[in-house]
Structure formats: C-alpha cells, structure tokens
Amino acid sequence: QVQLVESGGGLVQPGGSLRLSCAASTSSFKFSNYIMGWYRQAPGKQRELVAQITSGGNSNYARSVAGRFTISRDNAKNTVSLQMNSLKPEDTAVYYCNAKFVQLDYWGQGTQVTVSS
C-alpha cells in the first residue's frame, strides 16, 4: 500500500515557477521499487502524463513540458518533486502524484495549479 500527498500548488502568473512535492508512505514495498510520476488533468480534458522517473533517476517528459519541467526524487526521503518553470496558461490543471510497481498503481489526491495573469 502507498499513500501519496501532493503539495506546492497555487496561482502563478505566466512565465513564473512553481515546485510541486509528493510525500510517499509505503508499507508493502520500498519506495525505491516504484516508478514515480506526475500527471495532470485540465478542465474538460483527459488525465495526461507530465513526467516519470525511475529509481535510478532516468526520466521522461511530455513534449509539451520538456525543457521547462524537471522531475526528481529522493529515495531516502520517499519524495518526488516537479520543478515547473516558464509556466503557461495551458499548464493550468490538477496535478497528481503517481506510483507504479508491476501491477500496482497508486494516486495522490491532486493539487491545483493555476497559471493566469
């Protein structure tokens, strides 16, 4: 079982930055077993992958955020973060932390990010 809690969302102007954090609490397996990711869902849209990172630090990004967002993790602290720079209005969405291991899949409650002037 994994519990995920996101934090760091808020209102920011276009071009600004935010850093999202996700704290994980695991019981069945070590945090390092999980592939961690950030997803987002904008109003009226499907949930989409933003970024993923393996235990070893290999990462991948959606084309829409590549070069602007950076995902990182700290296996000692059971946390994963998403540094978001050069934010655009189209980045507005609820952002969700995700943990995957084999057929196990867990989600946080989400945190709102609003990019508006």
Side-chain angles (χ1 to χ4, degrees):
Q1 298 293 304
V2 179
Q3 292 180 312
L4 304 170
V5 180
E6 302 98 332
S7 62
L11 174 64
V12 64
Q13 294 187 10
S17 298
L18 281 176
R19 185 176 180 85
L20 305 182
S21 295
C22 173
S25 178
T26 65
S27 59
S28 299
F29 305 99
K30 296 190 300 182
F31 175 76
S32 59
N33 289 139
Y34 295 89
I35 295 175
M36 301 300 299
W38 287 95
Y39 291 71
R40 68 186 182 187
Q41 187 167 25
K45 303 294 184 180
Q46 295 184 354
R47 187 174 299 186
E48 65 174 344
L49 173 68
V50 176
Q52 282 187 321
I53 186 169
T54 67
S55 180
N58 294 320
S59 60
N60 64 87
Y61 300 87
R63 289 177 59 86
S64 59
V65 308
R68 299 187 298 121
F69 291 10
T70 302
I71 189 171
S72 61
R73 67 189 293 164
D74 188 333
N75 289 338
K77 296 182 178 180
N78 287 16
T79 60
V80 61
S81 298
L82 184 69
Q83 179 65 46
M84 305 185 294
N85 298 326
S86 302
L87 284 162
K88 305 174 180 179
E90 51 263 44
D91 294 319
T92 295
V94 176
Y95 284 70
Y96 297 89
C97 183
N98 171 257
K100 299 183 187 295
F101 177 56
V102 193
Q103 294 178 305
L104 301 176
D105 201 353
Y106 301 94
W107 298 89
Q109 82 290 339
T111 185
Q112 177 71 48
V113 172
T114 302
V115 184
S116 176
S117 60

